[in-house]
Amino acid sequence: MTDRLYIFDTTLRDGEQSPGCSMNIEEKMRVAHSLATLGVDIIEAGFPIASPGDFEAVHRIASEVKGPRIAGLARAAQKDIERAGEAVRPAGDRARIHTFIATSPIHMEAKLRMSPDQVVERAVEAVKLARSLAPEVEFSAEDAGRSEMDFLCRIVEATIAAGARIINIPDTVGYMTPDEFGARISELITRVPNSDQAIFSVHCHNDLGLAVANSLVAVENGARQVECTINGLGERAGNASLEEIVMIMKTRADRYDIETNIDTTRIVPTSKLVSQITGMPIQPNKAIVGANAFAHESGIHQDGVLKHKKTYEIMTPESVGWNTNRMVLGKHSGRAALKSRYETLGVELDDDKLVTVFERFKILADKKKDIFDEDLMTILSGDSEVEMERVKLVSLHAASGTNDTPVAAVEIEIEGVRHKATAEGDGPVDAAFKAIKSLVEPNGKLLLYAVNAITAGTDAQGEVTVRLQDGDRIVNGQGSDTDIVVASARALIAALNKLPNMHAKEVHAQYSGV
Ligand code: KIV
Ligand code: ZN
């Protein structure tokens, strides 16, 4: 009989811990809805004790996202667990508290300054408390990869006895080799007397590029939950990539005979959405979701594929969602078509939202002939940005040429008051940035400027990602327009809007505009 592998997605928690990948609540909601449409079994929605924003995101996801179980992370500490319990409660019988404590000698001694006995006691208390607050509890032995086997067996047995029904074995620092990690999972399942009362899970980091290999070998040895992220996002080198694990299971069903609940045709749209929201580009040669993953360049390969696709293709691009999103909308498309297209993309629009989004759609459709799914997601992000805009772009005029000094004149509105500036620069984008930055403070240090033509053709929507740093805060902004200078200015403004203390610079003349 075919077995079942549970996909636990931690894009919104571990993925969000990637430097520069923080998302605002609307962005998290969109990712969570998209993950639900993709068919993940569990969404780890965040770390509720970390900040009020994290709490609110987990709470809203637990209230609004239907289908998957919703997990909230908590250290093995009373306040963390109570907060996580409160945040996931709206998910009802789909709520999960995921509590963890480190179990490796180095973590226990240097970080926790606790003895192994104290760690076991704390873990058991944590699981019991969590069990009283949520229907399902997952326990993680942080840095299990470097933990002593006898101790790991002891703490796993104790936490299962305390009520944990999912036992997660993380390779927190990505140190394990596949043979070692597989042996670890097999030994735990064999040695722990009550192991049959829990599902074993793994959570592998990619520091040595082995996260997916280690997850697979764990599955071969009995793990039935894999923690992973879209595009392999996550701390440092990231986590195991969801798309790779799922497609290995599907493509090599002959070896694994394990099913997942994932609708694989949703993989590419979800990957694009996450990349767009986090501002983390996907490397072109990334397996499954990279732009070149199905591109055949050499003559021999092209010839082979033309004669028989299977000569060089082990899975079809359509099966992972490439080319399935080519339904084109245009300026004659109506509201119903737009709403239904968003539904296929996993986005539910209520009537008010549909009105706003439809207006933006029409504006774009006047500028470009074909509107693709990527455009629709961009329209939607524009829509959510509008709601939180303190700074808005009113107008931008940029001029450049082979023998001219590039210059830009901008007008922006900051909390209802209009401001103007003109600047010269090394190109029209640089000039526009200088002009905008001269009007606000703090205005952040530019860490990343990336342009992506998100649809084909010279009338493509250009999408720009800007990453700014102000002190220890790093923020991303995306902007899109058929004019790349305007897209850049929008991206800068979107990022500035995320800097909490950003305000107009005093020195500039202000006038209220109409
Ligand atoms: O990497 C890790 O150990 C974690 C745990 C909190 C599961 O992210
Ligand atoms: Zn992790």
Side-chain angles (χ1 to χ4, degrees), residues 30 32-39 66 263 265-266 269-270 273 324-325 327 329 334-351 353-354 357 372-373 376-377 380:
R30 281 168 47 211
H33 281 296
S34 190
L35 290 172
T37 312
L38 178 65
K66 305 294 171 220
D263 171 358
T265 64
R266 298 295 316 151
T270 313
L273 176 70
T324 51
N325 57 352
M327 172 176 157
L329 296 175
R335 239 176 254 207
L338 184 69
K339 186 166 194 267
S340 125
R341 190 66 206 149
Y342 272 115
E343 272 163 16
T344 346
L345 294 172
V347 180
E348 297 287 336
L349 296 177
D350 61 29
D351 289 349
K353 194 113 176 170
L354 181 60
V357 169
F372 296 102
D373 289 352
L376 296 184
M377 295 320 282
L380 201 66

Side-chain angles (χ1 to χ4, degrees), residues 343-371:
E343 272 163 16
T344 346
L345 294 172
V347 180
E348 297 287 336
L349 296 177
D350 61 29
D351 289 349
D352 288 349
K353 194 113 176 170
L354 181 60
V355 170
T356 333
V357 169
F358 189 65
E359 266 170 30
R360 293 179 72 103
F361 166 77
K362 284 288 177 188
I363 293 170
L364 182 63
D366 268 343
K367 289 193 195 173
K368 83 187 282 273
K369 202 166 122 266
D370 298 330
I371 310 282

Side-chain angles (χ1 to χ4, degrees), residues 13-14 73 98 100 140 142-143 168 170 172 203 205 227:
R13 200 277 298 167
D14 215 318
L73 185 67
H98 175 194
F100 72 98
S140 279
E142 192 192 7
D143 204 15
N168 185 37
T172 303
H203 174 114
H205 278 272
E227 303 199 353

Side-chain angles (χ1 to χ4, degrees), residues 162-442:
R165 287 295 163 263
I166 301 93
I167 294 294
N168 185 37
I169 306 300
D171 181 19
T172 303
V173 290
Y175 181 70
M176 294 270 92
T177 61
D179 55 335
E180 282 175 319
F181 198 57
R184 214 151 247 255
I185 301 303
S186 161
E187 189 176 339
L188 275 167
I189 295 178
T190 324
R191 271 183 62 189
V192 171
N194 52 4
S195 66
D196 59 326
Q197 293 173 33
I199 292 175
F200 279 72
S201 163
V202 290
H203 174 114
C204 297
H205 278 272
N206 206 28
D207 299 66
L208 292 172
L210 290 171
V212 169
N214 285 341
S215 306
L216 282 185
V217 86
V219 172
E220 284 166 15
N221 283 281
R224 285 295 174 270
Q225 175 179 284
V226 170
E227 303 199 353
C228 45
T229 56
I230 302 292
N231 301 337
L233 288 184
E235 282 269 2
R236 307 180 309 278
N239 289 68
S241 127
L242 180 148
E243 55 277 9
E244 292 174 20
I245 289 173
V246 167
M247 287 316 291
I248 292 166
M249 293 295 146
K250 185 166 174 171
T251 311
R252 298 307 311 272
D254 58 322
R255 270 188 70 82
Y256 289 98
D257 200 19
I258 296 179
E259 277 178 353
T260 69
N261 186 46
I262 299 295
D263 171 358
T264 60
T265 64
R266 298 295 316 151
I267 287 179
V268 167
T270 313
S271 154
K272 286 189 176 177
L273 176 70
V274 169
S275 166
Q276 186 201 346
I277 285 180
T278 58
M280 192 67 96
I282 305 166
Q283 72 189 61
N285 58 333
K286 165 86 177 64
I288 322 289
V289 293
N292 291 348
F294 293 90
H296 302 280
E297 176 68 23
S298 88
I300 296 174
H301 287 206
Q302 286 176 351
D303 181 50
V305 169
L306 286 174
K307 286 179 176 145
H308 196 307
K309 280 195 170 175
K310 285 196 171 165
T311 50
Y312 287 99
E313 269 183 17
I314 56 167
M315 55 198 154
T316 65
E318 291 78 14
S319 68
V320 296
W322 286 108
N323 305 335
T324 51
N325 57 352
R326 296 292 105 183
M327 172 176 157
V328 179
L329 296 175
K331 69 175 174 189
H332 300 298
S333 308
R335 239 176 254 207
L338 184 69
K339 186 166 194 267
S340 125
R341 190 66 206 149
Y342 272 115
E343 272 163 16
T344 346
L345 294 172
V347 180
E348 297 287 336
L349 296 177
D350 61 29
D351 289 349
D352 288 349
K353 194 113 176 170
L354 181 60
V355 170
T356 333
V357 169
F358 189 65
E359 266 170 30
R360 293 179 72 103
F361 166 77
K362 284 288 177 188
I363 293 170
L364 182 63
D366 268 343
K367 289 193 195 173
K368 83 187 282 273
K369 202 166 122 266
D370 298 330
I371 310 282
F372 296 102
D373 289 352
E374 295 89 338
D375 297 315
L376 296 184
M377 295 320 282
T378 310
I379 289 175
L380 201 66
S381 63
D383 183 51
S384 63
E385 273 155 26
V386 168
E387 286 162 13
M388 45 173 282
E389 272 178 353
R390 281 172 296 143
V391 180
K392 291 180 192 157
L393 181 65
V394 178
S395 68
L396 166 62
H397 180 79
S400 63
T402 44
N403 296 317
D404 300 325
T405 304
V407 59
V410 296
E411 183 174 2
I412 59 178
E413 193 178 293
I414 309 173
E415 273 148 5
V417 181
R418 291 194 179 185
H419 304 254
K420 282 181 178 175
T422 304
E424 292 180 350
D426 293 333
V429 172
D430 187 48
F433 275 32
K434 283 186 174 141
I436 294 169
K437 283 183 146 210
S438 73
L439 296 170
V440 296
E441 64 187 358

